[in-house]
Amino acid sequence: MRKHTLGEDHPDTLVSMAYLAAMYTYINRHDEAVSLHEQILRIRKQKLGTEHPDTLTSTAYLAAAYAKINQYSNTLELTKHLLETRRLILGEDHPDTLTSMAYVVAAYTDIGEHGNALMLHRQILEMGKGTMGEAYPDAPSLLKNAPGLRNCSGHPDTTP
């Protein structure tokens, strides 16, 4: 309805499309979710530019959707792009940059690059502590973002 009334590229239409994509993910219709996320990202890049916060959020959602259908190389590519963009815009120590680093950790883990995942994960924890102190509040959530993380010996490790 919004697409017809407001147009495909209207912000409210894009939000509705994102909600529909989330519902598709929830009911395991991942291919349809990916298709919607791709459309949303394409439109937001055209209308808002590649560095706009909404475009970056759409990039993160598409990366997650690709992971759901085991397209891990696409996930890694998008999360790396997201990280580099946020580093340039927000700086190395910004919480959103640290979150983007955690997305890359998860992508590395998904493709079996556990050494890279572990190295980057340690950087996140150190940077978070340096920015926000020893009681860095996101450390536990960052650990959850990289399930199956393995140490260099190849054994499961939940505390890098």
Side-chain angles (χ1 to χ4, degrees):
M1 179 88 165
R2 285 186 182 207
K3 198 178 210 181
H4 177 70
T5 305
L6 301 174
E8 181 184 60
D9 60 354
H10 190 278
D12 291 346
T13 302
L14 295 174
V15 168
S16 294
M17 290 169 68
Y19 282 133
L20 180 57
M23 183 55 66
Y24 281 147
T25 298
Y26 182 74
I27 61 173
N28 294 318
R29 291 170 59 178
H30 300 297
D31 289 330
E32 291 161 288
V34 165
S35 179
L36 276 176
H37 284 303
E38 288 173 338
Q39 288 176 47
I40 294 164
L41 182 57
R42 178 184 46 79
I43 293 167
R44 285 194 167 149
K45 279 182 177 179
Q46 289 172 348
K47 295 294 179 181
L48 304 174
T50 59
E51 297 179 353
H52 189 279
D54 291 347
T55 304
L56 297 176
T57 298
S58 294
T59 301
Y61 286 151
L62 179 56
Y66 280 144
K68 290 284 188 182
I69 60 170
N70 302 324
Q71 289 189 13
Y72 300 123
S73 61
N74 288 340
T75 300
L76 182 60
E77 178 183 333
L78 284 176
T79 57
K80 283 182 168 182
H81 169 74
L82 180 64
L83 173 58
E84 291 309 312
T85 304
R86 284 191 169 152
R87 276 182 173 150
L88 289 171
I89 296 169
L90 303 173
E92 189 74 26
D93 295 334
H94 191 279
D96 289 348
T97 303
L98 297 177
T99 298
S100 296
M101 290 173 77
Y103 296 159
V104 176
V105 167
Y108 276 141
T109 302
D110 286 340
I111 63 170
E113 290 189 23
H114 303 296
N116 286 335
L118 183 60
M119 180 181 66
L120 189 57
H121 196 279
R122 286 185 173 142
Q123 285 178 0
I124 295 167
L125 293 176
E126 287 305 310
M127 290 169 68
K129 286 178 189 175
T131 302
M132 295 172 235
E134 285 297 317
Y136 177 45
D138 283 341
S141 66
L142 289 172
L143 289 171
K144 290 179 192 172
N145 280 339
L149 189 63
R150 298 177 189 277
N151 64 25
C152 295
S153 64
H155 294 47
D157 184 3
T158 57
T159 55

